[in-house]
Each structure stands twice: as C-alpha cells, then as structure tokens.
Amino acid sequence: MTKLQMYQKLLFGTRAISYRYYTMVLKRLGMDILFLVVVSLFSCNRYPVEDTDFLRNLMLTKPSQFDSLLAKKDVFEIQILYTQINRDEQNIPHFKSFSYNMDRNMYFYPASTVKLPLVLLSLEKLHELGIAGLNKYTRMLSDSVYSGQLSVHKDTTSEDGYPSVAHYSKKILIVSDNDAYNRLYEFMGQREINRRLQKKGYRVSFLHRLERPLSLDENRYTEAIRFIDSGDTNKVIYRQEMGENVTPFFRRDTILKGRGYINRNGELVMAPFDFTYKNSYPLEDQQEVLKALLFPKAVASYRTFNISEEDRHFVLQYMSQYPHETYFPPYYKDSSLYDSYCKFLLFGEGTKKIPHNIRIFNKVGDAYGYLIDNAYIVDFDRQVEFLLSAVIHTNSDGIFNDGKYEYSAIGFPFMKNIGQLLYEYELQRKKKRKPDLWEFRFMYDYQ
C-alpha cells in the first residue's frame, strides 16, 4: 500500500467518497500538498464504485447534465437499465446489470417500442405454420370486414409493389412506421400476441393499434388476411379469417395520469388521462426481449423466439440499418431521415452522420411526452458493447394530446447524455477478454 493510499484509508476508510467531500476534509486539515495529490488522483479515476447506487453516482459526476433531472426523477418518471456484457473464453456473453429508479409498477406509455416484439412474433408465426411458399417475403393482403378496419392490397414503396411481413418489418425497424405495426398486429391478433409473449415470461399487455382511434371492441377484431403467390395473384397460399379476441387481456388496475387532455373533438377536458387500456411494456421486459434476440443461446430457451437464423439476421440488419442505406422503401432519398432519426441514446436528435465504427441495434418510442429507447450499442473499433434502456417523461403542463412536450429541451438531451456517459464508462472499463463482434457486422442495402 502506498503512502497516499494509507492517507486515503485513514481519512475515509473504504467508502466511495465524492470529490466535494475529499476537498472539504483535506482543506480543513490544512494538508495542502496531500490535497493537490489526492485531487489529481481523483480526477484521473473519477468513476464511482459499481454498487446499487452506481448509475446515480455516475450521473452525479455530470451535474450540469443530470442534477435537475435527478432532483425530480419521479416527476420525469425516469427509469434506466444498464447491462454490462462480459465474454468468456468461448465468447459467450455474461451479464451484469445496474438500474436507476426502476419500478415495473410505475406505468409509462411504451409507444413504438411494442413494435419489435410484433416483428419477432410475426416471423415466429410464419416459421411455425410451415407452409410451402409462405415466408416473410410472400405478398400479404389485408381485407376490411369489420368496423374500423382498412384494406391494403398494394405498397408502392416495396420492390414488387406489394406488402409483405418482410417489408412491414423493414419499415418498423428502420423508421418505426405505425401502419406497418398495425398490419403485423392484425396478422398476429390481439389474443395471440399476449398469449405468446406472456408464455415466454414477458409481463406485457398489447391492446391496440397505433395512430388509429379505435374502440376497445374494434381493437379486439383484426382484418382478414391473404398471402398470395407472386406468379399467380389469384392463388392463395394461406388464408386467415378475421380474428377475434373473445377473452381480452385488459389491465386490472386503473391508470390515470396528468391533470387534463385534449379529446377527439379538440376540446380541453380537465380530468386525468386514462391509460388503463393502453399498451403496457415494462422497461425490464423490453431489454429482456432485446437480449433474447441478440443472444438467444445466453438466455433461457422459453424466452427466445422460434425463428430461423436467417430471420434473426434479417431483424438485426434492419434494426441497425440507417435510412440513407435503404433502397426499399426509398428512404435514402429523404434528407429528413438522418442517421439518428430512430437512435435516441448517444445521439439524441443530432442530424450528423453516426461514425462508421458505431452501430445501434434498438427500438425507440415517443408519444404522450414519453421518450424511450431500448438499445444494444456497439463500437467495433474499440470492441465496446453494452445494453442500455431508458425512459423519460416530458409533459410539464400535465395536459395530454396538446402536442406540448419538452422532447427537444429535456428528453433528447437526456437520452444523448446518458448514452454518452455510459459509452465513455465502457471505453475505460476493464474486461478480461475483448468481445468478438463479428456476428453483428452486416452488409447493408445501400452503402
């Protein structure tokens, strides 16, 4: 033990001490020389110990970015789940998680994050049907047969002009398309979605389509669907009649938030907004779904999705592909679809190109003032990888549906800063073995 370490132990024991506390004690003791040395040492090793308060203490090292949020963590409904990945000699991942303010009983609206499980369930359903000629590229037509339903027989953004599970999945994974989610919701059906996910141990409740103001009854019924042959449009490979959930999976507890909302007639109603029959997808379950996709051999088999390895690679490619790399749909033509369009963590709402060495495999969501990102972040050059999931609510006036949310002022900066903070921590974190990340390198559509 060095003399400096002896001084530290004598003064502070083995406790994790803040910079402010160090300086206060040393100044009062008049130990000027030791003060300079210890302050120098502290600045070189400024990270807190990895205990139950690790994330909070780590954020405290950036007071200008996080202090005001930490002081009102429950107002902002902040939840963070950070998972380190440590590889063994066979490159098998092992996980160590740290959380901040996590509470699965603290409801937040999951917005578009529900779309990733729908992609995986749709691929699983096709795989298990096992019908010759039926796969994710087969043309999929939707027929309206009930109130609130919409027919779809064409898609001009696809390569062949027809919709398919593959094309809907690409739209979801790259730009978070709402209509594409609705079509996969209809293919799966409300009951089957919840039955399958809950059987896998995910505590979710998916009850409705997105951006379509349908009643509880209308969301229980789903369009009739036909998968047709690419050579003969009159040949039906698989037909699915209208679905009906006769035993709805409704939440039992009432969820009321805020102090008012704008109703469908554009009128202000001064009463809490009812989220009771909205989708529910806790942050912990979001990360577990992502983990099951990324590392299926490292999680319990019942939590994984029964899809082919080719389908798994398809999902991983498109959830990490940028709009400018995409021909169909022709997102590369749309300059408003910048790299971080659906990459909140690490980049916020920045419009610059993301460095070539970084890829983010994720699913974001934003609605009703909530911002959510559930991500696996990789730096191939520096051999860094980690899982990070976070949610924040920015609705200071407590009015829902008024379009007045502090996404830019509070939400996106938080997402960017927490992502960068943990990325910087990962850069210096010591690991016994560097990860081999070859399986997460992909050839993208347009490079």
Side-chain angles (χ1 to χ4, degrees):
M1 181 181 294
T2 66
K3 184 176 292 186
L4 179 57
Q5 289 171 329
M6 290 176 63
Y7 278 129
Q8 288 177 288
K9 189 172 182 181
L10 285 170
L11 286 169
F12 309 113
T14 58
R15 292 177 295 161
I17 303 300
S18 70
Y19 175 86
R20 185 181 300 173
Y21 189 71
Y22 260 120
T23 56
M24 179 189 74
V25 173
L26 291 170
K27 283 182 177 179
R28 287 183 180 179
L29 291 174
M31 302 168 73
D32 296 330
I33 296 176
L34 181 59
F35 166 71
L36 294 174
V37 175
V38 171
V39 168
S40 175
L41 176 66
F42 194 94
S43 64
C44 294
N45 185 23
R46 67 186 187 279
Y47 294 109
V49 295
E50 291 185 349
D51 58 13
T52 55
D53 290 324
F54 170 65
L55 285 181
R56 176 182 177 276
N57 291 335
L58 189 61
M59 287 186 281
L60 287 173
T61 66
K62 301 280 187 177
S64 63
Q65 295 178 0
F66 296 105
D67 274 8
S68 61
L69 299 176
L70 296 178
K72 297 181 179 180
K73 68 181 190 303
D74 294 328
V75 172
F76 291 111
E77 301 181 40
I78 295 171
Q79 295 186 61
I80 306 169
L81 181 59
Y82 158 61
T83 298
Q84 297 174 353
I85 302 170
N86 298 295
R87 303 279 183 158
D88 62 20
E89 58 273 13
Q90 279 83 43
N91 200 45
I92 296 172
H94 299 269
F95 309 107
K96 183 179 180 181
S97 296
F98 301 90
S99 64
Y100 175 73
N101 206 37
M102 286 284 291
D103 181 358
R104 67 170 44 261
N105 295 318
M106 183 168 64
Y107 175 83
F108 65 88
Y109 181 69
S112 293
T113 58
V114 300
K115 295 172 184 175
L116 176 59
L118 262 291
V119 170
L120 298 174
L121 289 178
S122 298
L123 294 172
E124 181 177 76
K125 181 175 179 177
L126 289 174
H127 181 75
E128 292 179 352
L129 283 170
I131 298 173
L134 178 65
N135 55 56
K136 62 181 175 289
Y137 299 108
T138 307
R139 294 172 175 178
M140 172 183 163
L141 311 184
S142 301
D143 297 316
S144 171
V145 291
Y146 193 76
S147 171
Q149 296 185 353
L150 297 173
S151 297
V152 175
H153 297 157
K154 296 285 185 179
D155 189 333
T156 58
T157 69
S158 71
E159 193 166 5
D160 67 355
Y162 286 89
S164 66
V165 169
H167 196 62
Y168 285 139
S169 297
K170 286 170 63 177
K171 287 181 170 183
I172 286 171
L173 297 170
I174 300 171
V175 300
S176 198
D177 188 276
N178 284 331
D179 178 70
Y181 161 81
N182 292 339
R183 296 306 164 184
L184 297 190
Y185 173 95
E186 292 150 11
F187 172 52
M188 291 303 305
Q190 187 189 75
R191 175 175 173 78
E192 192 67 6
I193 290 167
N194 289 281
R195 186 191 71 81
R196 284 179 180 255
L197 288 174
Q198 291 174 9
K199 187 177 180 180
K200 295 177 190 295
Y202 301 114
R203 289 162 284 188
V204 304
S205 184
F206 291 1
L207 302 175
H208 59 85
R209 299 168 178 84
L210 300 177
E211 274 196 337
R212 282 169 62 183
L214 302 178
S215 68
L216 296 177
D217 177 71
E218 289 169 332
N219 274 312
R220 289 172 52 208
Y221 292 87
T222 50
E223 281 82 339
I225 293 172
R226 291 171 289 142
F227 288 86
I228 62 172
D229 186 80
S230 59
D232 180 2
T233 56
N234 293 316
K235 180 181 178 182
V236 177
I237 298 173
Y238 173 69
R239 185 187 303 276
Q240 179 175 291
E241 301 300 331
M242 180 182 72
E244 177 189 2
N245 184 5
V246 295
T247 55
F249 288 80
F250 289 159
R251 291 178 60 93
R252 298 299 180 187
D253 52 328
T254 300
I255 304 171
L256 302 175
K257 286 183 170 288
R259 62 188 186 90
Y261 61 93
I262 305 297
N263 66 18
R264 294 180 184 178
N265 298 321
E267 302 164 336
L268 175 62
V269 178
M270 291 310 298
F273 189 64
D274 192 352
F275 283 90
T276 305
Y277 300 109
K278 296 291 186 182
N279 292 334
S280 174
Y281 189 20
L283 201 65
E284 182 181 357
D285 293 277
Q286 292 196 23
Q287 191 171 106
E288 288 300 312
V289 167
L290 183 59
K291 196 185 294 181
L293 168 65
L294 295 162
F295 313 108
K297 295 180 181 179
V299 302
S301 59
Y302 74 92
R303 308 213 84 180
T304 62
F305 294 82
N306 184 19
I307 60 177
S308 68
E309 192 63 10
E310 192 277 330
D311 282 345
R312 176 174 166 269
H313 286 176
F314 172 89
V315 176
L316 292 174
Q317 175 188 330
Y318 287 108
M319 73 190 303
S320 61
Q321 182 165 304
Y322 302 129
H324 81 264
E325 297 170 327
T326 308
Y327 271 126
F328 298 103
Y331 296 140
Y332 74 98
K333 294 181 179 180
D334 190 342
S335 60
S336 68
L337 299 175
Y338 42 88
D339 285 4
S340 60
Y341 181 77
C342 284
K343 310 294 181 187
F344 299 166
L345 290 167
L346 206 60
F347 297 101
E349 57 180 346
T351 58
K352 293 182 179 179
K353 281 196 172 185
I354 293 176
H356 69 89
N357 52 301
I358 293 177
R359 284 286 168 174
I360 301 176
F361 301 77
N362 74 315
K363 188 69 203 74
V364 299
D366 61 293
Y368 296 120
Y370 288 100
L371 277 185
I372 314 107
D373 199 348
N374 176 36
Y376 169 61
I377 299 172
V378 176
D379 185 331
F380 293 109
D381 288 356
R382 296 174 176 85
Q383 294 178 285
V384 163
E385 60 172 342
F386 63 101
L387 292 159
L388 180 58
S389 307
V391 58
I392 187 171
H393 190 217
T394 60
N395 184 19
S396 62
D397 65 4
I399 305 296
F400 289 95
N401 284 337
D402 64 353
K404 298 177 182 178
Y405 306 122
E406 296 80 33
Y407 290 135
S408 294
I410 298 173
F412 283 116
F414 165 76
M415 287 290 177
K416 176 182 178 179
N417 292 336
I418 193 64
Q420 289 186 347
L421 182 66
L422 286 161
Y423 172 71
E424 290 167 3
Y425 183 74
E426 281 285 333
L427 286 177
Q428 62 81 48
R429 187 171 73 84
K430 304 299 181 185
K431 307 177 187 68
K432 287 185 178 179
R433 297 174 185 86
K434 295 291 185 180
D436 183 347
L437 301 169
W438 63 269
E439 69 169 313
F440 298 111
R441 290 183 180 271
F442 294 93
M443 289 294 295
Y444 295 100
D445 290 350
Y446 178 59
Q447 302 195 68

